[in-house]
Amino acid sequence: MPAFAGSVVSLSGARVFAVALQLATLPVVARYVPPAEFGLVALSMVFVGLAMALSDAGLGKSLLRDGGRDDLVWSSAFWMLCGFGLVLGLCVLAAAPFVALLYDAPRLARFLSVLALVPVLQSISAVFVAELESRHAFLPLALALVLSSVLSAGVAIGLAMNGAGAWALIAQQVTLFAVQAVWYVLGSTFRPRVTFSRHALGAHLKFGSDTLGWAMLQFVIRESLRLVIGFVGTMAQLGAFAMAMRFLRVPSTVISDPVSRVVYVRMAAQHATPGAVRDLFLQASGLLAVIVIPPIALLAAASEPVFVLLLSEQWSDVGLLFTLLAPGFALQIALSPNGTAFMAQGRTDLRLRVTTEMAVLWLLMLPLAASFGAVALVAARSVWFIVFLPRMAVFMRRAFDVGLADIMALLCWPVLLSMAGFALQRGLSRSLGLGEWGQLGLAPVLLLLVWAAILLISRGRLRDSYAALRAGMA
């Protein structure tokens, strides 16, 4: 069985490559595809994203909790998901003309008609991915990400440079998921039998129903912001917001998602051991806080010159939006293993309740923020997560015995020192009159100083956490 470090490195390495390729691709594509075109694609992906969130119906994660592989159960899950994915794709296709009419953007209908293929591909892939994860075959998952990233980036750049506009981004998405689906099928040992039993799925359907409800609420929380910006702002503002989100998702893609994915497998195996899930959560989140929060803070401090240099002057609005989004996202990424901990403990009911309350709070804040415009909407996103954090801790205490004091202890030094780094970056840039390149050079120096300070203060705890995490994953 791969050790913790090897498992995370294989996935993280692939994600680092994919993100590096994306970061290399974006400056090229962004010079040929203006913000308003990005905004149209971002709006299209809202509706496709809902179908994608529902596409595996929670069955993939549930199958991992079995500890074995019953052919009847797994084959039944596969055929159910195939049918479910087809229905989702048809729903996207049927909704396309109404969405285009709602936003007075006729091209949205054509974009959605093509993107309807994506949830179908994701549903088909779900059981094959679960089988690979169940035997800790993370290398094929990593290779799928690398290959699909290379091919989809090539498609996007080629089409953008030939004047395809938004279609370059649409083709990129379809290529990405099509290549991954083919690779998952080829790399997995699972082959579905021509059989189906709803009864055999049993508890998996209960787990899946809670997960579907959670996915719907996650969609409301995550994508309602795009929908409302599409109404109260311009497509160019929506494009700038979508670009900021692409960069904010880099830490999740490269670090927290692989960590959570690997940690979930071990949490699921040890969920009956008292304290095991709590310890794994605290260790994983403590390390994520140190790794993720400081670079997000320093990039936010230097965001305006960074995005102008990287993307061109037409994308200058991205810096402000990134800065406003950064606090909430940094904390959310650091605490992201909480979702896997809820699932590993079989407390999808509590996870659903947490997400329900988060969605209610967000929907109450949304109209108030919208009345002040698109920028206020973006700022409200960070305020919302910070305000809800104490309530989230109540549910975490019930599910796996982690309370607000535990969360504050693991976040304290990364947050305080990152705030100091942010203030120094802004203060020194003004007092020294640094230009764009000077600010860009100062940020990594301050980041290293922040990391050094955190390690000096917390080196014992961090060393013990990493050692315990590796031992738990071995």
Side-chain angles (χ1 to χ4, degrees):
M1 181 184 296
F4 169 74
S7 299
V8 173
V9 165
S10 64
L11 282 178
S12 290
R15 289 174 184 268
V16 167
F17 175 83
V19 169
L21 185 61
Q22 181 188 63
L23 294 179
T25 302
L26 276 177
V28 179
V29 175
R31 282 165 169 77
Y32 290 94
V33 183
E37 293 282 282
F38 266 83
L40 279 172
V41 177
L43 195 55
S44 301
M45 289 304 297
V46 171
F47 300 95
V48 177
L50 172 60
M52 291 171 63
L54 301 175
S55 60
D56 84 337
L59 291 181
K61 293 296 185 188
S62 184
L63 291 172
L64 284 175
R65 300 179 75 248
D66 265 356
R69 196 176 94 189
D70 184 309
D71 281 347
L72 177 60
V73 172
W74 284 62
S75 294
S76 299
F78 172 78
W79 294 116
M80 174 174 282
L81 289 176
C82 284
F84 193 48
L86 182 60
V87 169
L88 289 172
L90 291 173
C91 287
V92 173
L93 197 61
F98 300 102
V99 173
L101 182 64
L102 181 65
Y103 283 91
D104 192 24
R107 287 197 296 162
L108 280 175
R110 297 195 292 276
F111 294 163
L112 286 169
S113 297
V114 175
L115 289 169
L117 182 62
V118 171
V120 179
L121 293 170
Q122 192 157 313
S123 289
I124 291 171
S125 304
V127 178
F128 295 101
V129 172
E131 190 278 328
L132 289 167
E133 290 181 335
S134 71
R135 55 187 175 89
H136 301 172
F138 294 107
L139 183 58
L141 297 173
L143 291 175
L145 181 58
V146 169
L147 182 61
S148 61
S149 297
V150 170
L151 294 177
S152 61
V155 168
I157 291 174
L159 290 176
M161 294 180 70
N162 282 280
W167 283 109
L169 305 175
I170 300 295
Q172 181 182 26
Q173 293 298 314
V174 174
T175 302
L176 182 75
F177 287 99
V179 172
Q180 287 181 5
V182 171
W183 193 267
Y184 293 149
V185 172
L186 294 177
S188 173
T189 61
F190 169 71
R191 293 296 178 264
R193 291 165 44 195
V194 185
T195 184
F196 180 81
S197 169
R198 186 180 183 282
H199 177 73
L201 292 174
H204 296 291
L205 293 177
K206 172 62 171 65
F207 185 98
S209 66
D210 286 341
T211 302
L212 279 178
W214 174 81
M216 287 288 290
L217 292 167
Q218 281 289 313
F219 168 80
V220 170
I221 292 169
R222 185 179 63 248
E223 303 296 359
S224 57
L225 193 52
R226 291 196 201 192
L227 292 173
V228 179
I229 290 175
F231 276 113
V232 304
T234 64
M235 282 298 162
Q237 284 180 313
L238 182 55
F241 169 76
M243 186 64 77
M245 290 294 293
R246 285 196 178 204
F247 284 91
L248 277 165
R249 288 194 179 113
V250 169
S252 293
T253 303
V254 173
I255 303 168
S256 66
D257 285 354
V259 168
S260 293
R261 200 169 188 173
V262 174
V263 166
Y264 174 77
V265 175
R266 188 50 49 197
M267 282 183 173
Q270 297 184 4
H271 72 276
T273 303
V277 171
R278 167 193 160 83
D279 291 343
L280 284 168
F281 168 79
L282 291 174
Q283 291 151 9
S285 287
L287 291 174
L288 284 174
V290 173
I291 294 168
V292 168
I293 294 176
I296 290 180
L298 269 298
L299 180 55
S303 58
E304 292 184 24
V306 166
F307 290 116
V308 168
L309 289 171
L310 186 64
L311 302 173
S312 76
E313 189 66 38
Q314 67 177 334
W315 292 94
S316 59
D317 290 344
V318 175
L320 174 61
L321 301 182
F322 183 95
T323 302
L324 294 173
L325 290 164
F329 268 90
L331 295 176
Q332 195 167 353
I333 292 168
L335 298 174
S336 58
N338 81 85
T340 60
F342 278 116
M343 287 195 295
Q345 289 290 79
R347 296 310 306 266
T348 53
D349 57 329
L350 285 182
R351 188 179 69 153
L352 180 59
R353 185 170 170 186
V354 170
T355 311
T356 301
E357 293 191 12
M358 292 179 78
V360 169
L361 177 61
W362 176 238
L363 291 176
L364 290 173
M365 293 177 64
L366 198 59
L368 177 62
S371 66
F372 293 96
V375 174
L377 272 169
V378 173
R381 174 62 174 71
S382 284
V383 173
W384 158 79
F385 185 78
I386 294 169
V387 167
F388 190 78
L389 188 55
R391 180 61 178 163
M392 181 186 292
V394 172
F395 291 99
M396 291 166 64
R397 170 73 73 185
R398 290 174 57 185
F400 47 94
D401 197 28
V402 170
L404 186 60
D406 299 309
I407 294 171
M408 293 298 101
L410 67 87
L411 292 177
C412 177
W413 287 116
V415 169
L416 291 177
L417 291 171
S418 295
M419 290 171 64
F422 181 96
L424 278 172
Q425 172 75 29
R426 289 291 176 95
L428 290 174
S429 296
R430 291 194 189 96
S431 62
L432 299 176
L434 297 179
E436 292 175 346
W437 287 104
Q439 293 180 57
L440 190 60
L442 177 62
V445 174
L446 291 176
L447 173 58
L448 292 176
L449 290 175
V450 170
W451 268 335
I454 294 172
L455 291 175
L456 184 64
I457 294 170
S458 308
R459 63 185 182 277
R461 181 179 61 81
L462 292 172
R463 183 177 59 248
D464 292 345
S465 292
Y466 182 70
L469 195 56
R470 285 193 64 184
M473 300 300 296

PDB file of all heavy atoms in Angstrom, residues 235-260:
ATOM      1  N   MET A 235     -20.773  41.148 -18.317  1.00  0.00           N
ATOM      2  CA  MET A 235     -20.095  39.890 -18.652  1.00  0.00           C
ATOM      3  C   MET A 235     -18.590  40.024 -18.456  1.00  0.00           C
ATOM      4  O   MET A 235     -17.917  39.056 -18.117  1.00  0.00           O
ATOM      5  CB  MET A 235     -20.414  39.482 -20.086  1.00  0.00           C
ATOM      6  CG  MET A 235     -21.786  38.857 -20.240  1.00  0.00           C
ATOM      7  SD  MET A 235     -21.950  37.324 -19.285  1.00  0.00           S
ATOM      8  CE  MET A 235     -23.741  37.148 -19.233  1.00  0.00           C
ATOM      9  N   ALA A 236     -18.051  41.237 -18.643  1.00  0.00           N
ATOM     10  CA  ALA A 236     -16.625  41.451 -18.406  1.00  0.00           C
ATOM     11  C   ALA A 236     -16.294  41.286 -16.920  1.00  0.00           C
ATOM     12  O   ALA A 236     -15.264  40.692 -16.565  1.00  0.00           O
ATOM     13  CB  ALA A 236     -16.213  42.835 -18.896  1.00  0.00           C
ATOM     14  N   GLN A 237     -17.163  41.792 -16.043  1.00  0.00           N
ATOM     15  CA  GLN A 237     -16.951  41.600 -14.600  1.00  0.00           C
ATOM     16  C   GLN A 237     -17.050  40.127 -14.232  1.00  0.00           C
ATOM     17  O   GLN A 237     -16.274  39.627 -13.412  1.00  0.00           O
ATOM     18  CB  GLN A 237     -17.968  42.408 -13.801  1.00  0.00           C
ATOM     19  CG  GLN A 237     -17.688  43.894 -13.748  1.00  0.00           C
ATOM     20  CD  GLN A 237     -18.733  44.652 -12.949  1.00  0.00           C
ATOM     21  OE1 GLN A 237     -19.943  44.458 -13.131  1.00  0.00           O
ATOM     22  NE2 GLN A 237     -18.290  45.524 -12.055  1.00  0.00           N
ATOM     23  N   LEU A 238     -18.004  39.438 -14.831  1.00  0.00           N
ATOM     24  CA  LEU A 238     -18.135  38.006 -14.569  1.00  0.00           C
ATOM     25  C   LEU A 238     -16.899  37.260 -15.061  1.00  0.00           C
ATOM     26  O   LEU A 238     -16.426  36.326 -14.408  1.00  0.00           O
ATOM     27  CB  LEU A 238     -19.397  37.465 -15.251  1.00  0.00           C
ATOM     28  CG  LEU A 238     -19.706  35.982 -15.033  1.00  0.00           C
ATOM     29  CD1 LEU A 238     -19.768  35.642 -13.550  1.00  0.00           C
ATOM     30  CD2 LEU A 238     -21.015  35.605 -15.715  1.00  0.00           C
ATOM     31  N   GLY A 239     -16.360  37.682 -16.204  1.00  0.00           N
ATOM     32  CA  GLY A 239     -15.136  37.067 -16.700  1.00  0.00           C
ATOM     33  C   GLY A 239     -13.965  37.301 -15.767  1.00  0.00           C
ATOM     34  O   GLY A 239     -13.165  36.388 -15.514  1.00  0.00           O
ATOM     35  N   ALA A 240     -13.843  38.523 -15.222  1.00  0.00           N
ATOM     36  CA  ALA A 240     -12.767  38.829 -14.269  1.00  0.00           C
ATOM     37  C   ALA A 240     -12.927  38.012 -12.992  1.00  0.00           C
ATOM     38  O   ALA A 240     -11.952  37.502 -12.429  1.00  0.00           O
ATOM     39  CB  ALA A 240     -12.757  40.320 -13.947  1.00  0.00           C
ATOM     40  N   PHE A 241     -14.172  37.865 -12.533  1.00  0.00           N
ATOM     41  CA  PHE A 241     -14.442  37.038 -11.350  1.00  0.00           C
ATOM     42  C   PHE A 241     -14.052  35.581 -11.619  1.00  0.00           C
ATOM     43  O   PHE A 241     -13.411  34.927 -10.784  1.00  0.00           O
ATOM     44  CB  PHE A 241     -15.922  37.128 -10.984  1.00  0.00           C
ATOM     45  CG  PHE A 241     -16.364  36.124  -9.962  1.00  0.00           C
ATOM     46  CD1 PHE A 241     -16.048  36.290  -8.627  1.00  0.00           C
ATOM     47  CD2 PHE A 241     -17.086  35.001 -10.336  1.00  0.00           C
ATOM     48  CE1 PHE A 241     -16.444  35.357  -7.671  1.00  0.00           C
ATOM     49  CE2 PHE A 241     -17.487  34.065  -9.401  1.00  0.00           C
ATOM     50  CZ  PHE A 241     -17.162  34.243  -8.059  1.00  0.00           C
ATOM     51  N   ALA A 242     -14.422  35.059 -12.790  1.00  0.00           N
ATOM     52  CA  ALA A 242     -14.090  33.679 -13.135  1.00  0.00           C
ATOM     53  C   ALA A 242     -12.576  33.481 -13.190  1.00  0.00           C
ATOM     54  O   ALA A 242     -12.064  32.431 -12.774  1.00  0.00           O
ATOM     55  CB  ALA A 242     -14.714  33.309 -14.477  1.00  0.00           C
ATOM     56  N   MET A 243     -11.861  34.478 -13.688  1.00  0.00           N
ATOM     57  CA  MET A 243     -10.402  34.375 -13.739  1.00  0.00           C
ATOM     58  C   MET A 243      -9.813  34.365 -12.330  1.00  0.00           C
ATOM     59  O   MET A 243      -8.900  33.579 -12.026  1.00  0.00           O
ATOM     60  CB  MET A 243      -9.835  35.536 -14.548  1.00  0.00           C
ATOM     61  CG  MET A 243      -8.329  35.452 -14.779  1.00  0.00           C
ATOM     62  SD  MET A 243      -7.836  34.028 -15.787  1.00  0.00           S
ATOM     63  CE  MET A 243      -8.303  34.609 -17.427  1.00  0.00           C
ATOM     64  N   ALA A 244     -10.309  35.241 -11.447  1.00  0.00           N
ATOM     65  CA  ALA A 244      -9.831  35.244 -10.062  1.00  0.00           C
ATOM     66  C   ALA A 244     -10.077  33.894  -9.405  1.00  0.00           C
ATOM     67  O   ALA A 244      -9.224  33.375  -8.667  1.00  0.00           O
ATOM     68  CB  ALA A 244     -10.528  36.354  -9.274  1.00  0.00           C
ATOM     69  N   MET A 245     -11.228  33.307  -9.681  1.00  0.00           N
ATOM     70  CA  MET A 245     -11.557  32.004  -9.103  1.00  0.00           C
ATOM     71  C   MET A 245     -10.619  30.903  -9.610  1.00  0.00           C
ATOM     72  O   MET A 245     -10.274  29.975  -8.881  1.00  0.00           O
ATOM     73  CB  MET A 245     -13.006  31.646  -9.429  1.00  0.00           C
ATOM     74  CG  MET A 245     -14.029  32.505  -8.706  1.00  0.00           C
ATOM     75  SD  MET A 245     -14.005  32.242  -6.914  1.00  0.00           S
ATOM     76  CE  MET A 245     -14.596  30.561  -6.834  1.00  0.00           C
ATOM     77  N   ARG A 246     -10.193  31.023 -10.866  1.00  0.00           N
ATOM     78  CA  ARG A 246      -9.254  30.026 -11.397  1.00  0.00           C
ATOM     79  C   ARG A 246      -7.966  30.012 -10.590  1.00  0.00           C
ATOM     80  O   ARG A 246      -7.420  28.955 -10.282  1.00  0.00           O
ATOM     81  CB  ARG A 246      -8.938  30.315 -12.865  1.00  0.00           C
ATOM     82  CG  ARG A 246     -10.055  29.955 -13.825  1.00  0.00           C
ATOM     83  CD  ARG A 246      -9.542  29.891 -15.237  1.00  0.00           C
ATOM     84  NE  ARG A 246     -10.593  29.507 -16.171  1.00  0.00           N
ATOM     85  CZ  ARG A 246     -10.364  28.928 -17.352  1.00  0.00           C
ATOM     86  NH1 ARG A 246      -9.127  28.661 -17.709  1.00  0.00           N
ATOM     87  NH2 ARG A 246     -11.362  28.613 -18.152  1.00  0.00           N
ATOM     88  N   PHE A 247      -7.476  31.177 -10.248  1.00  0.00           N
ATOM     89  CA  PHE A 247      -6.238  31.244  -9.475  1.00  0.00           C
ATOM     90  C   PHE A 247      -6.463  30.841  -8.019  1.00  0.00           C
ATOM     91  O   PHE A 247      -5.591  30.218  -7.407  1.00  0.00           O
ATOM     92  CB  PHE A 247      -5.645  32.647  -9.567  1.00  0.00           C
ATOM     93  CG  PHE A 247      -4.973  32.911 -10.880  1.00  0.00           C
ATOM     94  CD1 PHE A 247      -5.684  33.467 -11.935  1.00  0.00           C
ATOM     95  CD2 PHE A 247      -3.646  32.573 -11.080  1.00  0.00           C
ATOM     96  CE1 PHE A 247      -5.067  33.706 -13.165  1.00  0.00           C
ATOM     97  CE2 PHE A 247      -3.024  32.804 -12.299  1.00  0.00           C
ATOM     98  CZ  PHE A 247      -3.729  33.365 -13.355  1.00  0.00           C
ATOM     99  N   LEU A 248      -7.620  31.165  -7.458  1.00  0.00           N
ATOM    100  CA  LEU A 248      -7.902  30.770  -6.081  1.00  0.00           C
ATOM    101  C   LEU A 248      -8.081  29.267  -5.936  1.00  0.00           C
ATOM    102  O   LEU A 248      -7.900  28.721  -4.849  1.00  0.00           O
ATOM    103  CB  LEU A 248      -9.155  31.495  -5.582  1.00  0.00           C
ATOM    104  CG  LEU A 248      -8.911  32.911  -5.065  1.00  0.00           C
ATOM    105  CD1 LEU A 248     -10.213  33.680  -4.942  1.00  0.00           C
ATOM    106  CD2 LEU A 248      -8.185  32.887  -3.724  1.00  0.00           C
ATOM    107  N   ARG A 249      -8.437  28.611  -7.018  1.00  0.00           N
ATOM    108  CA  ARG A 249      -8.610  27.157  -6.954  1.00  0.00           C
ATOM    109  C   ARG A 249      -7.289  26.407  -7.087  1.00  0.00           C
ATOM    110  O   ARG A 249      -7.245  25.188  -6.907  1.00  0.00           O
ATOM    111  CB  ARG A 249      -9.577  26.701  -8.049  1.00  0.00           C
ATOM    112  CG  ARG A 249     -11.023  27.101  -7.772  1.00  0.00           C
ATOM    113  CD  ARG A 249     -11.986  26.367  -8.676  1.00  0.00           C
ATOM    114  NE  ARG A 249     -13.354  26.745  -8.385  1.00  0.00           N
ATOM    115  CZ  ARG A 249     -14.148  27.428  -9.204  1.00  0.00           C
ATOM    116  NH1 ARG A 249     -13.687  27.815 -10.391  1.00  0.00           N
ATOM    117  NH2 ARG A 249     -15.376  27.736  -8.874  1.00  0.00           N
ATOM    118  N   VAL A 250      -6.213  27.118  -7.390  1.00  0.00           N
ATOM    119  CA  VAL A 250      -4.919  26.449  -7.546  1.00  0.00           C
ATOM    120  C   VAL A 250      -4.509  25.703  -6.279  1.00  0.00           C
ATOM    121  O   VAL A 250      -4.142  24.520  -6.340  1.00  0.00           O
ATOM    122  CB  VAL A 250      -3.830  27.460  -7.969  1.00  0.00           C
ATOM    123  CG1 VAL A 250      -2.438  26.837  -7.861  1.00  0.00           C
ATOM    124  CG2 VAL A 250      -4.081  27.923  -9.399  1.00  0.00           C
ATOM    125  N   PRO A 251      -4.569  26.318  -5.076  1.00  0.00           N
ATOM    126  CA  PRO A 251      -4.176  25.564  -3.873  1.00  0.00           C
ATOM    127  C   PRO A 251      -5.044  24.330  -3.634  1.00  0.00           C
ATOM    128  O   PRO A 251      -4.549  23.297  -3.167  1.00  0.00           O
ATOM    129  CB  PRO A 251      -4.354  26.583  -2.740  1.00  0.00           C
ATOM    130  CG  PRO A 251      -4.303  27.911  -3.400  1.00  0.00           C
ATOM    131  CD  PRO A 251      -4.921  27.719  -4.741  1.00  0.00           C
ATOM    132  N   SER A 252      -6.339  24.423  -3.946  1.00  0.00           N
ATOM    133  CA  SER A 252      -7.209  23.256  -3.792  1.00  0.00           C
ATOM    134  C   SER A 252      -6.792  22.155  -4.752  1.00  0.00           C
ATOM    135  O   SER A 252      -6.677  20.985  -4.376  1.00  0.00           O
ATOM    136  CB  SER A 252      -8.669  23.639  -4.055  1.00  0.00           C
ATOM    137  OG  SER A 252      -9.140  24.514  -3.065  1.00  0.00           O
ATOM    138  N   THR A 253      -6.578  22.526  -5.996  1.00  0.00           N
ATOM    139  CA  THR A 253      -6.244  21.542  -7.018  1.00  0.00           C
ATOM    140  C   THR A 253      -4.915  20.868  -6.740  1.00  0.00           C
ATOM    141  O   THR A 253      -4.779  19.650  -6.869  1.00  0.00           O
ATOM    142  CB  THR A 253      -6.197  22.223  -8.404  1.00  0.00           C
ATOM    143  OG1 THR A 253      -7.452  22.849  -8.647  1.00  0.00           O
ATOM    144  CG2 THR A 253      -5.927  21.215  -9.501  1.00  0.00           C
ATOM    145  N   VAL A 254      -3.931  21.663  -6.340  1.00  0.00           N
ATOM    146  CA  VAL A 254      -2.576  21.146  -6.185  1.00  0.00           C
ATOM    147  C   VAL A 254      -2.374  20.440  -4.848  1.00  0.00           C
ATOM    148  O   VAL A 254      -1.669  19.432  -4.770  1.00  0.00           O
ATOM    149  CB  VAL A 254      -1.551  22.301  -6.325  1.00  0.00           C
ATOM    150  CG1 VAL A 254      -0.140  21.834  -6.012  1.00  0.00           C
ATOM    151  CG2 VAL A 254      -1.606  22.857  -7.732  1.00  0.00           C
ATOM    152  N   ILE A 255      -2.992  20.967  -3.789  1.00  0.00           N
ATOM    153  CA  ILE A 255      -2.646  20.484  -2.448  1.00  0.00           C
ATOM    154  C   ILE A 255      -3.833  19.873  -1.704  1.00  0.00           C
ATOM    155  O   ILE A 255      -3.833  18.687  -1.375  1.00  0.00           O
ATOM    156  CB  ILE A 255      -2.038  21.625  -1.607  1.00  0.00           C
ATOM    157  CG1 ILE A 255      -0.819  22.207  -2.312  1.00  0.00           C
ATOM    158  CG2 ILE A 255      -1.646  21.123  -0.223  1.00  0.00           C
ATOM    159  CD1 ILE A 255      -0.321  23.505  -1.726  1.00  0.00           C
ATOM    160  N   SER A 256      -4.860  20.692  -1.411  1.00  0.00           N
ATOM    161  CA  SER A 256      -5.891  20.217  -0.480  1.00  0.00           C
ATOM    162  C   SER A 256      -6.742  19.099  -1.058  1.00  0.00           C
ATOM    163  O   SER A 256      -7.132  18.178  -0.325  1.00  0.00           O
ATOM    164  CB  SER A 256      -6.770  21.374  -0.009  1.00  0.00           C
ATOM    165  OG  SER A 256      -7.532  21.909  -1.060  1.00  0.00           O
ATOM    166  N   ASP A 257      -7.074  19.142  -2.352  1.00  0.00           N
ATOM    167  CA  ASP A 257      -7.873  18.058  -2.925  1.00  0.00           C
ATOM    168  C   ASP A 257      -7.140  16.717  -2.879  1.00  0.00           C
ATOM    169  O   ASP A 257      -7.720  15.706  -2.459  1.00  0.00           O
ATOM    170  CB  ASP A 257      -8.279  18.396  -4.360  1.00  0.00           C
ATOM    171  CG  ASP A 257      -9.389  19.435  -4.415  1.00  0.00           C
ATOM    172  OD1 ASP A 257      -9.910  19.811  -3.348  1.00  0.00           O
ATOM    173  OD2 ASP A 257      -9.734  19.880  -5.524  1.00  0.00           O
ATOM    174  N   PRO A 258      -5.859  16.654  -3.309  1.00  0.00           N
ATOM    175  CA  PRO A 258      -5.152  15.372  -3.180  1.00  0.00           C
ATOM    176  C   PRO A 258      -5.021  14.907  -1.736  1.00  0.00           C
ATOM    177  O   PRO A 258      -5.165  13.709  -1.450  1.00  0.00           O
ATOM    178  CB  PRO A 258      -3.776  15.663  -3.794  1.00  0.00           C
ATOM    179  CG  PRO A 258      -3.991  16.807  -4.700  1.00  0.00           C
ATOM    180  CD  PRO A 258      -5.060  17.643  -4.051  1.00  0.00           C
ATOM    181  N   VAL A 259      -4.733  15.849  -0.820  1.00  0.00           N
ATOM    182  CA  VAL A 259      -4.620  15.465   0.582  1.00  0.00           C
ATOM    183  C   VAL A 259      -5.949  14.898   1.089  1.00  0.00           C
ATOM    184  O   VAL A 259      -5.995  13.833   1.710  1.00  0.00           O
ATOM    185  CB  VAL A 259      -4.186  16.672   1.445  1.00  0.00           C
ATOM    186  CG1 VAL A 259      -4.346  16.357   2.934  1.00  0.00           C
ATOM    187  CG2 VAL A 259      -2.735  17.029   1.143  1.00  0.00           C
ATOM    188  N   SER A 260      -7.055  15.599   0.820  1.00  0.00           N
ATOM    189  CA  SER A 260      -8.367  15.144   1.281  1.00  0.00           C
ATOM    190  C   SER A 260      -8.739  13.811   0.657  1.00  0.00           C
ATOM    191  O   SER A 260      -9.327  12.940   1.316  1.00  0.00           O
ATOM    192  CB  SER A 260      -9.438  16.194   0.946  1.00  0.00           C
ATOM    193  OG  SER A 260      -9.231  17.371   1.685  1.00  0.00           O
TER     194      SER A 260
END
